[in-house]
Amino acid sequence: MAAPLTLLLVVAVTIRAALYRSSLAEVIAERVEVVSPITAWKRVIEGLALLDLGVSPYSGDVFHETPLVIYLFHFLVDYAEITFMLADVISAIALYLAVKEYNKQVVRKKQKFALEADRYPQDCLELIRSPKEMLYIPLKVAMFYLLNPFTILSCVAKSTCGLNNAPQIITPHCFKISFAVFLCLATYQSIYPLTLCAPAMLYLMQRQYIPVNYRRASFWWFVVQYLFMYLGSLFVLICLSFFLLGSWDYLPSVYGFILSVPDLTPNIGLFWYFFAEMFEHFRLFFLCVFQINVFFYTVPLSIKLKDHPVFLMFMQLAVISIFKSYPTVGDIALYMALLPVWSHLHRFLRNIFLVSCVLLACSVLFPVLWHLWIYAGSANSNFYYAITLLFNVAQILLVSDYFYAFLRREHHLIHGLYLKKKDGSEATLVLK
């Protein structure tokens, strides 16, 4: 498998290098779908200019990335293209290894299932994946990430979104200490990965055979240990940022900016249009409502999917990319790269064709409606927000469909694939 992965990496790097040398690079770097006020490369350059002049990059309303990012590029600004390509390559390799490890766990579960086959309905055996079916899934995931147009556009635009995604991708195949460190790094970058704490802890418990039982002391001891390492790492990063800058200016400029959404530049998210039309005295209330969306689903999803932390992580990544305040296509590419892992759910998906067509149509219409609004003047912001709203609704339908398919498959594994009523007629499964 090393040869196909190497070939894939070479092809991906070649495509990015060619686009960097083309005239399209500057156009892509200005697209509001690809960059946001936080991740835009031109803002990083302006922040670096202020830093070189001895002025805090957070003194104005230009730079909103974290201090570690600006100090990273303070040394690597001449090698920015290589840095972004390397970030994509490392992320793809990390995804490949993480999915490979997950497949090993699935195979072990299948072996356990085979030993206890007499306890399960015979007709559900066709739902069990064979090792042969899972052989190429890691390569497909790496391909979905590297060759996804959204990932390529994000890399060519030098959006720091790719750097923010890397710690989230590296996290799943780390041990407890490094697991907490990488997740804390992701949280430090954009706050929202805080919701990945629950699937991270559940995943580690599953790997260490610690039962998720609230009455057992071992469960709470593990939670306390993990949170101590996670919060301790976050405290170290925040203090390190203070020592680099010599002030706390970055806290309101980075985290306050993400949470308060003062910049209403159009993007593919749900915030900008709504708050542009909002009366100021209602703003705080609706801001809380919108921001809570990202965090609200963590508890119910964690309870429902406590035995399936990898799928829970996929769901959380999707929720973050849909409901965060300044989303870009790079955020969407991250969770879409994991779709091949759930290819066995396709038989239970209900709206996959319709949703796929809507997502493709919206992706094409984004630049068209932007041109009609900004340059031609024959449309207005309502047109662009309408396609944005449709795009996000399609994402919600996609994630909901996969969630339904996953729960339905789990139900069939226990109760059988072909359900019968008491009178022997075929039953219809309704999930409530």
Side-chain angles (χ1 to χ4, degrees):
M1 196 63 72
L5 180 61
T6 304
L7 179 61
L8 175 63
L9 295 175
V10 170
V11 170
V13 170
T14 303
I15 292 172
R16 285 159 172 77
L19 285 172
Y20 275 131
R21 297 292 172 267
S22 71
S23 58
L24 291 173
E26 292 183 6
V27 177
I28 294 170
E30 296 294 327
R31 294 302 313 169
V32 293
E33 301 87 6
V34 182
V35 297
S36 71
I38 298 174
T39 63
W41 176 246
K42 66 179 181 181
R43 292 188 178 234
V44 176
I45 294 297
E46 290 179 17
L48 286 170
L50 290 173
L51 191 65
D52 291 337
L53 292 172
V55 180
S56 171
Y58 302 103
S59 57
D61 191 32
V62 175
F63 184 71
H64 301 289
E65 263 292 359
T66 55
L68 289 186
V69 168
I70 195 167
Y71 275 94
L72 171 69
F73 284 110
H74 185 68
F75 299 103
L76 298 176
V77 66
D78 294 330
Y79 308 99
E81 295 176 2
I82 296 173
T83 303
F84 284 106
M85 287 192 288
L86 192 59
D88 276 3
V89 167
I90 292 172
S91 298
I93 294 172
L95 276 172
Y96 177 88
L97 295 175
V99 174
K100 200 171 183 179
E101 178 62 29
Y102 173 69
N103 284 347
K104 289 179 182 177
Q105 293 181 19
V106 172
V107 170
R108 284 196 291 270
K109 284 184 179 179
K110 183 192 172 186
Q111 292 170 345
K112 181 182 177 182
F113 182 87
L115 293 173
E116 302 173 351
D118 55 333
R119 295 171 52 188
Y120 298 93
Q122 291 296 315
D123 59 1
C124 72
L125 294 177
E126 62 183 272
L127 297 177
I128 306 299
R129 290 178 291 171
S130 67
K132 185 177 179 182
E133 290 174 335
M134 296 186 292
L135 182 62
Y136 292 102
I137 288 178
L139 186 64
K140 289 178 182 177
V141 169
M143 185 183 299
F144 266 54
Y145 185 76
L146 284 175
L147 301 185
N148 188 330
F150 289 165
T151 315
I152 295 171
L153 291 173
S154 185
C155 181
V156 173
K158 299 179 189 173
S159 168
T160 55
C161 176
L163 300 179
N164 297 343
N165 287 342
Q168 301 177 57
I169 296 171
I170 294 171
T171 298
H173 50 92
C174 298
F175 295 104
K176 186 157 61 175
I177 297 177
S178 53
F179 209 114
V181 171
F182 276 108
L183 187 55
C184 133
L185 185 58
T187 307
Y188 165 81
Q189 286 294 110
S190 62
I191 297 181
Y192 296 116
L194 175 67
T195 60
L196 298 177
C197 269
M201 283 191 285
L202 291 170
Y203 182 73
L204 281 175
M205 287 180 188
Q206 194 176 80
R207 284 176 64 174
Q208 298 180 24
Y209 304 102
I210 298 173
V212 183
N213 188 335
Y214 310 115
R215 297 179 181 179
R216 298 188 64 164
S218 59
F219 169 80
W220 290 110
W221 176 238
F222 179 89
V223 171
V224 169
Q225 280 183 309
Y226 182 85
L227 288 178
F228 177 77
M229 288 184 290
Y230 173 76
L231 295 175
S233 302
L234 194 57
F235 178 76
V236 169
L237 281 174
I238 290 173
C239 290
L240 177 61
S241 300
F242 171 76
F243 289 126
L244 287 172
L245 288 172
S247 73
W248 297 105
D249 292 346
Y250 73 94
L251 289 176
S253 292
V254 178
Y255 307 118
F257 186 83
I258 292 171
L259 294 175
S260 62
V261 201
D263 191 322
L264 299 178
T265 303
N267 54 57
I268 60 170
L270 299 169
F271 282 70
W272 66 272
Y273 184 86
F274 195 86
F275 286 98
E277 303 293 330
M278 176 69 59
F279 289 112
E280 193 60 32
H281 53 281
F282 292 128
R283 195 175 197 278
L284 181 60
F285 171 75
F286 281 102
L287 194 61
C288 293
V289 171
F290 271 62
Q291 294 287 10
I292 283 171
N293 264 303
V294 179
F295 304 97
F296 177 77
Y297 304 105
T298 304
V299 174
L301 285 174
S302 299
I303 293 171
K304 186 66 179 178
L305 299 171
K306 65 180 181 179
D307 296 324
H308 309 283
V310 176
F311 188 76
L312 174 59
M313 196 171 290
F314 163 75
M315 291 292 296
Q316 287 297 128
L317 288 172
V319 168
I320 290 171
S321 70
I322 295 169
F323 293 111
K324 69 187 297 187
S325 51
Y326 292 105
T328 63
V329 292
D331 299 299
I332 299 166
L334 177 57
Y335 83 83
M336 283 193 171
L338 296 172
L339 292 181
V341 179
W342 320 114
S343 57
H344 58 290
L345 302 178
H346 284 176
R347 66 184 296 170
F348 300 119
L349 295 176
R350 300 167 296 178
N351 305 311
I352 188 65
F353 177 73
L354 175 64
V355 170
S356 300
C357 291
V358 172
L359 288 173
L360 286 171
C362 289
S363 300
V364 173
L365 287 173
F366 273 131
V368 174
L369 292 179
W370 178 262
H371 178 83
L372 291 176
W373 173 26
I374 301 299
Y375 298 103
S378 56
N380 56 40
S381 59
N382 295 324
F383 287 74
Y384 192 78
Y385 187 67
I387 207 68
T388 299
L389 199 60
L390 183 59
F391 187 71
N392 283 286
V393 168
Q395 286 188 82
I396 292 170
L397 288 175
L398 176 70
V399 175
S400 303
D401 211 12
Y402 270 92
F403 186 49
Y404 164 82
F406 186 87
L407 294 180
R408 182 170 176 179
R409 179 179 178 272
E410 291 299 312
H411 184 274
H412 284 310
L413 283 173
I414 297 172
H415 300 286
L417 186 58
Y418 304 104
L419 304 177
K420 300 290 183 181
K421 294 181 181 178
K422 291 182 180 179
D423 59 1
S425 60
E426 186 176 351
T428 303
L429 180 64
V430 179
L431 296 181
K432 294 184 179 180

